[in-house]
Amino acid sequence: HLCLYISQSTFAISSFRFMATNDLMMELQKDSIKLDEDSEKKVVKMLLKLLEDKNGEVQNLAVKCLGPLVGKVKEYQVETIVDTLCTNMLSDKEQLRDISSIGLKTVISELPPASTGSTMTANVCKKITAQLTGAIGKQEDVSVQLEALDILSDMLSRLGGTLYSFHSSILNCLLPQLTSPRLAVRKRAIIALGHLVLTCSGNIFSELTEHLLAELKRNESTSTTRTYIQCVAGISRQAGHRIGEHLEKIIPLIVRYCNVEDDELREYCFQAFESFVRRIFICRDRCPKEIDPHIPNVMELCLKYITFDPNYNYDNEEEEEEEMMETENGEDEEQESDDEYSDDDDISWKVRRSAAKCLEAIVSSRHDLLQDFYKTLSPVLISRFKEREENVRADIFSAYISLLKQTLPIQSWLHASDASGKDDVPLTMLQKQVPNIVKALHKQLKEKSIKSRQGCFSLLTELASVLPGCLADHIPALVPGIVFSLADKSSSSNMRIDTLSFLHVLLCNHQPEVFHPHIKSLLPPVVTCIGDPFYKITSEALLVTQQLVKVIRPLDKSCTFDAKPYVKDLFPGTLKRLKAADIDQEVKERAISCMGQIICNLGDHLSTDLQPTLKIFLERLKNEITRLTTVKVLTLIASSPLKINLRPILGEGFPILASFLRKNQRALKLSTLTALDILVKNYSDSLQPAMIESVLTELPALITENDMHVSQVAIMFLTTLAKVYPSCISKISGSVLAEIFQLVHSPLLQGGALNAIIDFFQALVLTKTATMGYSELMKQLTAPIYSSGSAEASVMLHKQAYYSVAKCVAALSSACPKEVPAIVNQFIQDVKNPKSSSAVKVLAFLSLAEMGRTMNLSSQRELKTVILEAFSSPSEEVKSAASYALGNISVGNLKEYLPFMLKEIGSQPKRQYLLLHSLKEVISSSPANGLEPYVEDIWALLFKHCECTEEGTRNVVAECLGKLTLVNPSELLPRLKKQLSSGSPHARSTVVTAIKFTIADQPQPIDALLKGCIGDFLKTLQDPDLNVRRVALAMFNSAAHNKPSLIRDLLNAVLPSLYNETNVRRELIREVEMGPFKHTVDDGLDVRKAAFECMYTLLESCLDRLDIYEYLNHVEDGLKDHYDIRMLTFIMLARLSTLCPSAVLQRLERLIEPLRATCSTKVKAGSVKQEFEKQDELKRSAMRAVAALLTIPEVEKSPAMAEFSSQIRSNPEMASLFESIQKDSASLPTSESMDMS
């Protein structure tokens, strides 16, 4: 009906046409609308007619209708639309041309992507492309050309892969446009080429680069050369990974053009260099081989041209400075002289700016050249801080800030041990340059230009963060600039905020004394900012004031500075903000924190103002929005050494705090417990028993295994109560204790929470409360294990719970030494009693172990025999507990037990394994000086057993050797190294495993020695024995994971051996006959698995040292290997997608094939259930890798990926698997990682 209505000839009034078209658009946007063939024809015909309507608004609406229409009509109708639009684009009427090009863009944006499997997109695109390339080639009308180029760019960027067959003709049509007389045409042709190189084949890319190189060599005119250099830069920005191999030829040409006297050309040259460095060197995807040789050359050019300012003389600036000081109206004079220099044709600043940007790109991608940067680049940049052009100066600051960010020491366990050596050199070099930096900047801090001042403060902020304390000597030079920016009326809000945030960093990173002479001038402008109407300034000023309070009167050291005169400045401004209720949330919180700091550090100077302010805190405590901040502030005030009088608010405040313990906000519970703890410690005389009881009733609910940290803090508070108020402990209801015992018996208890419980029990036993004496507590602790004597009750307890109970038993015993002999005797009787269950024996041994570690149990004569008898117990748990006990009891008395243990190891081959475990406990837990007299004996004994055929025994021997080496590394490490030449493979594997146990993630004395000789141990990666190679890989993996600094510099030598181990070895695969079946066994699988695990670890810790393309070759092979290896490589691929997206993009076609093969395999019908499960897990893992690949930007432009995506969508089984993977990943944290520790 609408079409009919629109098409009636009488329908002449444009407003009616407008309304009808609008209705049509509304209808088309509904999903429910279905058009039959006849209606389709009418609607399409009508809309195309309306595009030529005389009324512009009707035309606009008609164009909007095209979008929803594309999805609703048949393919041939879309082709009709496109044909008409293309014809109209070539029309003489400008308005019709414009509306048609908008129409084409609308249609292109609505076409379904090729991955959906629709053929329409391909056909329509081909139609448009043929017409567009024709229009571009004709060169009759520039505006037609520009529109056509624009549409072509749109199409290539969205659907480049679909136009595969047209790439060659598109290229041939675009290249001539680079020499068009109109610069706008050239510019758009460059953009279109940028989109083309993303999806074109290698041949077309080579054709394009060859053409550009040839034209650059010909150098027909400067104008075209500029265009070609811009084009190279454009391609590099879009597809940097592809241009790498051509750099060898391109860079020398561009270097040559840098020396041509043409500023615009030079600017483009530097932009090209920047794009090479940034794109090819996306930090992780290093292609060092390609760009490395050119970096020094490019840097030299940048440094030369960053000072390129032929029309200005900087030399007499210093003299001018001095003259200005003399003449009051110096500013006006300088203004005039500046105007004389002004030269509109001078574009040398563009060259300087592009050189600065290029330097920034080099600095931010080349961490390894830091020392060179500080030698050559830093002084030049500092000397250019005086740059006259504001825009260029901003880029020079930005480049220097990048340099500082690169220098920031890496705060990470991965590089902890690197930091000691070479990383200090750049910092020392920077330290020497600080005076020059300040000298260059402090003049600018008072300049009118806000942009310059902001740049200075950003740079100084970064400097103060990188080198805390480095500005201590320069505070007098900086303070006037800070005060100027805060007080200056013309300063913008952002200027003030930047200044305040710099001042905050400065105050945090320097000693308080250096500011004391300047407090008088710094404080007033900051306090004025607290009263600023803009909330962000107020908030930042409160943060600075809080830090200033700590500086004016530091509480952690004695200080002669008199803070009293400044209280009258600080207090009223902050109080005004604290009282205000109608202000921003952030300001409220910071006002509370700031006032808390004032009371904490200066409370003794507040006299009558103190109590009313505390009353305000009480009000804030009752408010849900501010209560958390207030609790933290009360904690701060309560712990102040000034002993602030909080008593007036405790009566009302304590019950409020108690009520917070039942709120559902975890942070509030934790902060409240900390506050209560400090109040009980410091204000015990003012708390009534009723107050404390109100808190006690809330505690049982907090002690639960569901939240170990809250439990830990709650138990620490209980310990404080037991020490400060022993009387109230009798009120500790059974429920609190019941919860604690429940926790002790939980398998999750460990670390901090366990230590808190141990402290609590010790404090509890010392209160001498009747119902909670030693024997009562022991009974409740061990009850579940002793109960019913049978195995049923004790089965419920997890192995971890036995260790927890044993530690608590030992803690109680050390608090009550008188009880020790009786309890030790009881445990010995338990072990001897044949009726005791194995659970009781395990507990007895573990408790003896924990007690024996800290006490000397040698008076118990029976102990040795009891333990040795247990070694032949039928229960494995009892044996292992006895072995643990022997080791720990020996730690408590080495002289008595260690020689006995060594003798037993020598004479009892059957018990050897258990005795060696005991020895491992001794070596791990004893202090080094206690072990020293026995080192030789232990060493000799261990070497007797390092060739043992049992791998389990060899591993324990290796661990003992490794831990023993840590006692005296300088002497023992060389001995281990000597054993590498041993003839026996077993001995070699033991030695290599021993080294694994000397590597820990914390810095140790052995590190420097290990770094020197780990290369020799890694040579075992080429050992003829398979098992030695496997343990060498495990050791390498441990080093890469825990202390990468040990192996980073050896990677060039080690990687070939590592990669070699990833190959399948045919000679290690054998067939085993199992009855009627033949079963294939691959002896090399474990080694390959270990090698791939090492490769994964290197991704996390040494990515910058890997040649990622070589690495990907081996990942690719792994994708076709055994089930276990494929599972590993799928995870690696997912990780690589985030770390090195562009390298993965380049290899996409080769990586997709094995993924496709895995996703589409079918299990044979008669297979066992495990086979189905295994295959299912494999498919899920492969699909996770596919999902990760799809997150790479620009991946949809790869034809191979588009095809695979459509295959997944069209196969119901694969589609549902893919959807479930996406749901999983949405609910998980982003990075998928594999624990290789």
Side-chain angles (χ1 to χ4, degrees):
H1 297 304
L2 277 169
C3 294
L4 200 66
Y5 189 40
I6 298 173
S7 58
Q8 282 171 358
S9 52
T10 53
F11 186 47
I13 304 167
S14 63
S15 58
F16 281 7
R17 291 200 305 279
F18 177 82
M19 296 302 293
T21 316
N22 195 32
D23 292 345
L24 176 65
M25 187 170 80
M26 291 305 185
E27 285 301 317
L28 285 173
Q29 280 171 345
K30 291 179 189 163
D31 283 340
S32 55
I33 186 169
K34 292 275 183 291
L35 298 171
D36 57 34
E37 202 156 332
D38 199 34
S39 320
E40 272 185 22
K41 257 189 197 148
K42 282 181 184 162
V43 172
V44 169
K45 191 174 168 193
M46 220 34 260
L47 275 178
L48 291 174
K49 191 172 170 191
L50 286 173
L51 285 176
E52 299 178 39
D53 199 283
K54 292 183 182 63
N55 183 315
E57 286 182 347
V58 175
Q59 280 184 321
N60 287 341
L61 265 183
V63 164
K64 283 182 187 165
C65 288
L66 288 176
L69 187 67
V70 168
K72 302 271 191 306
V73 297
K74 295 197 174 52
E75 189 176 319
Y76 72 90
Q77 296 291 5
V78 180
E79 289 182 20
T80 312
I81 296 175
V82 168
D83 272 343
T84 315
L85 289 173
C86 286
T87 317
N88 289 349
M89 251 198 70
L90 305 176
S91 122
D92 305 337
K93 297 181 199 150
E94 190 177 345
Q95 194 180 5
L96 184 58
R97 273 204 318 253
D98 290 351
I99 207 81
S100 302
S101 70
I102 295 172
L104 273 174
K105 285 180 188 169
T106 311
V107 171
I108 290 169
S109 67
E110 288 298 326
L111 284 174
S115 53
T116 52
S118 141
T119 54
M120 171 164 90
T121 305
N123 295 339
V124 171
C125 284
K126 283 171 187 168
K127 262 205 160 32
I128 301 180
T129 310
Q131 301 256 26
L132 288 180
T133 44
I136 294 169
K138 280 187 185 144
Q139 290 197 355
E140 284 162 10
D141 184 340
V142 174
S143 53
V144 174
Q145 264 188 308
L146 287 175
E147 286 297 349
L149 283 165
D150 217 10
I151 295 168
L152 189 62
S153 287
D154 257 19
M155 207 153 58
L156 283 169
S157 78
R158 196 170 167 268
L159 307 158
T162 320
L163 302 175
Y164 208 66
S165 52
F166 278 91
H167 283 175
S168 179
S169 62
I170 293 176
L171 181 68
N172 295 335
C173 144
L174 288 175
L175 287 178
Q177 305 313 316
L178 294 176
T179 50
S180 158
R182 293 291 295 269
L183 288 179
V185 174
R186 294 186 193 182
K187 208 168 188 175
R188 290 203 187 171
I190 290 175
I191 294 171
L193 282 168
H195 289 306
L196 173 69
V197 291
L198 272 173
T199 49
C200 71
S201 67
N203 296 343
I204 287 182
F205 187 79
S206 300
E207 191 183 328
L208 169 61
T209 18
E210 291 304 325
H211 176 81
L212 292 175
L213 277 167
E215 290 297 329
L216 279 174
K217 281 180 188 152
R218 270 178 59 200
N219 188 16
E220 207 163 87
S221 70
T222 318
S223 159
T224 55
T225 303
R226 280 182 208 154
T227 305
Y228 286 124
I229 288 180
Q230 274 180 300
C231 186
V232 170
I235 291 170
S236 164
R237 267 181 224 110
Q238 288 290 353
H241 55 272
R242 302 185 77 167
I243 208 166
E245 58 203 72
H246 302 278
L247 282 185
E248 202 48 56
K249 297 174 190 161
I250 297 175
I251 289 188
L253 282 171
I254 298 184
V255 168
R256 197 174 87 203
Y257 287 120
C258 278
N259 300 318
V260 175
E261 284 300 318
D262 179 332
D263 287 351
E264 219 172 320
L265 182 59
R266 283 184 185 135
E267 181 194 6
Y268 297 150
C269 287
F270 282 119
Q271 284 173 353
F273 287 143
E274 183 195 354
S275 77
F276 298 151
V277 175
R278 278 200 196 284
R279 271 303 299 195
I280 296 172
F281 220 93
I282 295 181
C283 195
R284 303 297 182 99
D285 298 18
R286 305 195 6 158
C287 316
K289 299 193 287 294
E290 288 147 1
I291 189 110
D292 252 17
H294 307 289
I295 291 277
N297 229 341
V298 172
M299 245 177 80
E300 198 180 314
L301 281 168
C302 290
L303 292 174
K304 175 179 168 188
Y305 282 104
I306 201 168
T307 57
F308 172 70
D309 199 353
N311 301 342
Y312 191 79
N313 183 7
Y314 288 92
D315 293 342
N316 43 15
E317 282 227 328
E318 300 296 322
E319 298 154 30
E320 259 176 47
E321 283 283 323
E322 284 157 26
E323 284 169 27
M324 266 180 69
M325 300 299 241
E326 289 160 27
T327 49
E328 277 301 293
N329 57 352
E331 283 191 26
D332 304 335
E333 290 177 22
E334 225 212 337
Q335 269 328 107
E336 290 165 26
S337 61
D338 240 17
D339 290 343
E340 292 163 28
Y341 280 124
S342 165
D343 179 3
D344 293 338
D345 302 330
D346 175 20
I347 56 165
S348 65
W349 65 273
K350 288 186 172 177
V351 179
R352 297 197 297 280
R353 186 181 64 179
S354 55
K357 285 188 162 166
C358 184
L359 278 177
E360 184 185 351
I362 295 175
V363 167
S364 49
S365 58
R366 294 306 302 261
H367 185 75
D368 50 326
L369 296 177
L370 258 185
Q371 290 190 30
D372 296 352
F373 292 154
Y374 274 107
K375 218 174 283 166
T376 52
L377 189 144
S378 173
V380 177
L381 284 177
I382 294 172
S383 71
R384 292 303 305 166
F385 287 168
K386 62 187 178 195
E387 166 66 55
R388 64 197 172 101
E389 276 290 337
E390 196 173 61
N391 289 336
V392 183
R393 195 183 315 151
D395 282 315
I396 290 173
F397 283 156
S398 172
Y400 205 85
I401 289 170
S402 279
L403 178 61
L404 290 172
K405 284 189 169 142
Q406 287 293 318
T407 319
L408 204 74
I410 300 171
Q411 301 298 326
S412 137
W413 55 272
L414 270 181
H415 301 274
S417 51
D418 294 22
S420 52
K422 64 172 200 267
D423 281 9
D424 292 349
V425 181
L427 287 173
T428 326
M429 294 167 91
L430 172 61
Q431 182 77 55
K432 288 180 185 150
Q433 296 178 13
V434 169
N436 297 343
I437 295 176
V438 176
K439 188 179 171 196
L441 291 181
H442 88 275
K443 295 175 207 157
Q444 298 188 26
L445 287 177
K446 285 196 158 185
E447 274 195 7
K448 279 204 176 88
S449 154
I450 286 183
K451 194 172 176 185
S452 285
R453 278 186 281 158
Q454 278 181 307
C456 292
F457 281 128
S458 302
L459 197 151
L460 287 166
T461 308
E462 201 61 50
L463 181 62
S465 310
V466 173
L467 261 186
C470 68
L471 294 169
D473 304 339
H474 308 287
I475 302 290
L478 298 172
V479 167
I482 294 172
V483 173
F484 172 72
S485 275
L486 288 179
D488 178 26
K489 293 282 175 286
S490 66
S491 283
S492 65
S493 303
N494 284 347
M495 179 72 252
R496 289 206 181 114
I497 292 170
D498 286 355
T499 312
L500 286 166
S501 66
F502 165 62
L503 181 52
H504 185 247
V505 171
L506 196 65
L507 292 167
C508 291
N509 285 336
H510 291 74
Q511 291 303 318
E513 301 78 62
V514 297
F515 298 103
H516 288 162
H518 309 285
I519 295 289
K520 198 170 183 177
S521 51
L522 274 177
L523 200 56
V526 174
V527 172
T528 313
C529 286
I530 294 180
D532 196 277
F534 184 39
Y535 77 95
K536 282 193 173 169
I537 294 181
T538 310
S539 161
E540 203 63 44
L542 284 165
L543 205 57
V544 172
T545 310
Q546 187 175 346
Q547 200 55 38
L548 267 171
V549 172
K550 294 185 200 171
V551 166
I552 291 173
R553 186 175 184 187
L555 294 176
D556 49 357
K557 47 181 157 186
S558 59
C559 173
T560 51
F561 184 71
D562 179 20
K564 194 160 186 191
Y566 301 104
V567 177
K568 64 180 191 308
D569 291 338
L570 286 163
F571 185 76
T574 313
L575 183 66
K576 187 178 167 204
R577 288 299 185 190
L578 179 69
K579 281 180 172 169
D582 53 347
I583 47 172
D584 187 80
Q585 165 76 8
E586 190 178 296
V587 178
K588 276 185 192 168
E589 290 179 359
R590 286 190 175 169
I592 294 171
S593 302
C594 183
M595 185 54 92
Q597 200 70 55
I598 293 175
I599 295 176
C600 173
N601 288 46
L602 304 165
D604 48 352
H605 295 316
L606 291 177
S607 59
T608 53
D609 287 328
L610 178 63
Q611 290 316 318
T613 312
L614 290 175
K615 285 278 187 287
I616 300 177
F617 280 146
L618 203 54
E619 289 310 307
R620 297 286 170 268
L621 201 59
K622 295 172 186 168
N623 179 334
E624 190 176 335
I625 294 174
T626 51
R627 62 190 180 191
L628 179 59
T629 314
T630 314
V631 170
K632 288 178 179 169
V633 163
L634 285 176
T635 313
L636 180 72
I637 298 173
S639 53
S640 164
L642 303 179
K643 305 262 182 292
I644 308 294
N645 180 15
L646 284 174
R647 290 168 185 78
I649 63 163
L650 284 182
E652 198 178 336
F654 219 78
I656 298 177
L657 288 173
S659 72
F660 289 167
L661 294 178
R662 62 181 104 100
K663 296 284 185 273
N664 205 5
Q665 192 183 352
R666 186 168 183 267
L668 183 65
K669 284 185 206 171
L670 287 167
S671 300
T672 305
L673 284 167
T674 316
L676 289 168
D677 192 58
I678 207 90
L679 286 169
V680 167
K681 279 180 184 154
N682 294 350
Y683 295 86
S684 53
D685 51 345
S686 354
L687 298 177
Q688 308 304 321
M691 291 183 185
I692 289 175
E693 278 169 41
S694 68
V695 173
L696 275 177
T697 53
E698 304 297 343
L699 290 177
L702 298 181
I703 300 170
T704 152
E705 63 175 24
N706 295 339
D707 191 332
M708 280 297 180
H709 187 53
V710 171
S711 305
Q712 178 182 338
V713 180
I715 292 167
M716 284 155 80
F717 172 54
L718 275 172
T719 312
T720 305
L721 279 180
K723 289 176 181 164
V724 180
Y725 284 107
S727 55
C728 81
I729 282 299
S730 54
K731 300 251 179 23
I732 287 192
S733 54
S735 58
V736 169
L737 267 181
E739 292 296 342
I740 291 180
F741 285 124
Q742 187 90 36
L743 206 53
V744 174
H745 299 138
S746 156
L748 305 176
L749 182 67
Q750 57 178 9
L754 177 56
N755 294 336
I757 291 182
I758 288 172
D759 292 345
F760 171 65
F761 280 146
Q762 288 184 322
L764 190 58
V765 124
L766 295 175
T767 58
K768 307 276 193 291
T769 313
T771 53
M772 290 166 223
Y774 178 82
S775 53
E776 185 58 35
L777 289 171
M778 286 294 267
K779 200 165 154 192
Q780 286 189 279
L781 261 178
T782 56
I785 296 162
Y786 281 104
S787 63
S788 75
S790 66
E792 305 145 28
S794 46
V795 168
M796 290 155 56
L797 280 194
H798 188 272
K799 191 174 170 188
Q800 177 62 36
Y802 289 99
Y803 284 94
S804 308
V805 171
K807 282 195 164 73
C808 294
V809 167
L812 283 173
S813 306
S814 69
C816 309
K818 287 182 190 153
E819 309 278 356
V820 172
I823 191 77
V824 169
N825 199 26
Q826 185 203 322
F827 283 137
I828 290 176
Q829 296 315 317
D830 281 342
V831 173
K832 283 166 68 179
N833 181 355
K835 290 185 179 161
S836 299
S837 66
S838 60
V840 170
K841 290 182 182 174
V842 168
L843 176 69
F845 278 130
L846 293 180
S847 304
L848 287 168
E850 296 300 335
M851 289 154 76
R853 190 181 307 152
T854 48
M855 312 168 195
N856 184 349
L857 297 184
S858 55
S859 55
Q860 297 287 341
R861 291 276 153 242
E862 290 181 282
L863 254 179
K864 289 182 193 167
T865 49
V866 165
I867 290 175
L868 288 180
E869 275 169 19
F871 279 3
S872 43
S873 156
S875 156
E876 285 299 323
E877 274 80 20
V878 174
K879 281 197 232 178
S880 128
S883 151
Y884 181 72
L886 179 59
N888 281 294
I889 293 166
S890 306
V891 174
N893 186 354
L894 284 174
K895 207 156 63 203
E896 166 87 16
Y897 281 94
L898 193 54
F900 158 74
M901 192 191 299
L902 296 177
K903 184 170 126 278
E904 285 290 319
I905 294 175
S907 61
Q908 298 281 350
K910 282 190 176 167
R911 298 176 179 168
Q912 212 171 50
Y913 181 69
L914 293 167
L915 286 161
L916 283 167
H917 266 290
S918 306
L919 181 60
K920 181 188 79 184
E921 289 298 328
V922 175
I923 297 174
S924 308
S925 307
S926 302
N929 54 359
L931 272 178
E932 261 170 21
Y934 307 101
V935 167
E936 290 303 327
D937 299 343
I938 300 176
W939 190 265
L941 181 78
L942 289 171
F943 264 106
K944 267 190 203 147
H945 293 100
C946 73
E947 295 187 24
C948 175
T949 48
E950 282 288 319
E951 187 172 5
T953 307
R954 284 205 309 277
N955 283 342
V956 186
V957 170
E959 192 170 345
C960 291
L961 277 172
K963 301 255 171 82
L964 192 60
T965 306
L966 296 174
V967 174
N968 183 357
S970 53
E971 194 174 316
L972 298 178
L973 195 59
R975 289 199 207 170
L976 273 182
K977 191 171 135 188
K978 231 185 234 154
Q979 290 298 323
L980 280 176
S981 53
S982 153
S984 143
H986 284 339
R988 292 199 300 277
S989 73
T990 307
V991 169
V992 174
T993 310
I995 291 296
K996 184 173 91 173
F997 288 106
T998 61
I999 301 168
D1001 55 1
Q1002 298 303 324
Q1004 287 182 311
I1006 195 173
D1007 292 347
L1009 298 165
L1010 257 182
K1011 193 161 187 178
C1013 68
I1014 197 162
D1016 297 311
F1017 291 102
L1018 286 173
K1019 282 183 185 147
T1020 51
L1021 285 170
Q1022 298 159 358
D1023 197 280
D1025 184 78
L1026 192 67
N1027 194 41
V1028 176
R1029 295 204 298 275
R1030 183 177 57 79
V1031 296
L1033 286 165
M1035 182 263 288
F1036 179 53
N1037 194 10
S1038 170
H1041 183 74
N1042 295 313
K1043 208 163 269 164
S1045 55
L1046 292 175
I1047 53 139
R1048 284 171 77 83
D1049 300 334
L1050 300 170
L1051 284 180
N1052 285 346
V1054 174
L1055 282 174
S1057 310
L1058 171 65
Y1059 290 150
N1060 191 29
E1061 292 306 323
T1062 62
N1063 300 329
V1064 178
R1065 303 269 169 88
R1066 294 273 164 247
E1067 68 273 17
L1068 294 175
I1069 299 176
R1070 55 199 167 88
E1071 276 195 347
V1072 179
E1073 289 193 3
M1074 300 172 82
F1077 303 108
K1078 286 189 174 171
H1079 183 59
T1080 312
V1081 176
D1082 181 352
D1083 293 328
L1085 180 62
D1086 285 346
V1087 177
R1088 287 208 305 287
K1089 212 162 139 189
F1092 278 106
E1093 284 172 1
C1094 287
M1095 283 174 65
Y1096 181 82
T1097 308
L1098 289 174
L1099 269 190
E1100 299 302 323
S1101 56
C1102 302
L1103 183 60
D1104 54 337
R1105 299 291 174 96
L1106 300 175
D1107 173 350
I1108 210 69
Y1109 297 106
E1110 169 74 2
Y1111 185 97
L1112 274 167
N1113 288 341
H1114 298 284
V1115 172
E1116 211 179 302
D1117 294 339
L1119 289 169
K1120 304 165 193 156
D1121 202 330
H1122 181 270
Y1123 167 82
D1124 292 349
I1125 309 279
R1126 273 193 284 171
M1127 290 293 276
L1128 269 172
T1129 45
F1130 291 149
I1131 297 175
M1132 286 160 81
L1133 195 53
R1135 195 77 191 96
L1136 281 160
S1137 308
T1138 28
L1139 294 175
C1140 321
S1142 59
V1144 174
L1145 258 187
Q1146 262 181 281
R1147 292 292 176 85
L1148 208 52
E1149 286 179 22
R1150 283 150 61 178
L1151 295 169
I1152 281 176
E1153 269 326 298
L1155 287 172
R1156 189 203 308 266
T1158 302
C1159 289
S1160 45
T1161 40
K1162 295 267 186 287
V1163 187
K1164 286 180 193 162
S1167 301
V1168 288
K1169 184 182 171 207
Q1170 285 91 326
E1171 193 57 40
F1172 279 102
E1173 286 170 359
K1174 207 167 159 185
Q1175 204 57 46
D1176 194 45
E1177 195 42 58
L1178 199 57
K1179 281 183 184 175
R1180 287 187 76 78
S1181 194
M1183 208 48 104
R1184 277 191 206 102
V1186 174
L1189 288 174
L1190 285 168
T1191 59
I1192 299 178
E1194 300 172 357
V1195 74
E1196 68 283 352
K1197 292 175 183 160
S1198 146
M1201 195 68 196
E1203 188 195 337
F1204 187 29
S1205 298
S1206 64
Q1207 187 183 340
I1208 291 175
R1209 284 197 192 89
S1210 57
N1211 177 329
E1213 188 190 336
M1214 277 155 79
S1216 69
L1217 180 60
F1218 184 65
E1219 271 167 39
S1220 77
I1221 294 291
Q1222 284 193 307
K1223 276 182 199 146
D1224 291 354
S1225 61
S1227 61
L1228 283 171
T1230 46
S1231 69
E1232 168 154 359
S1233 69
M1234 172 164 65
D1235 184 19
M1236 303 305 258
S1237 43

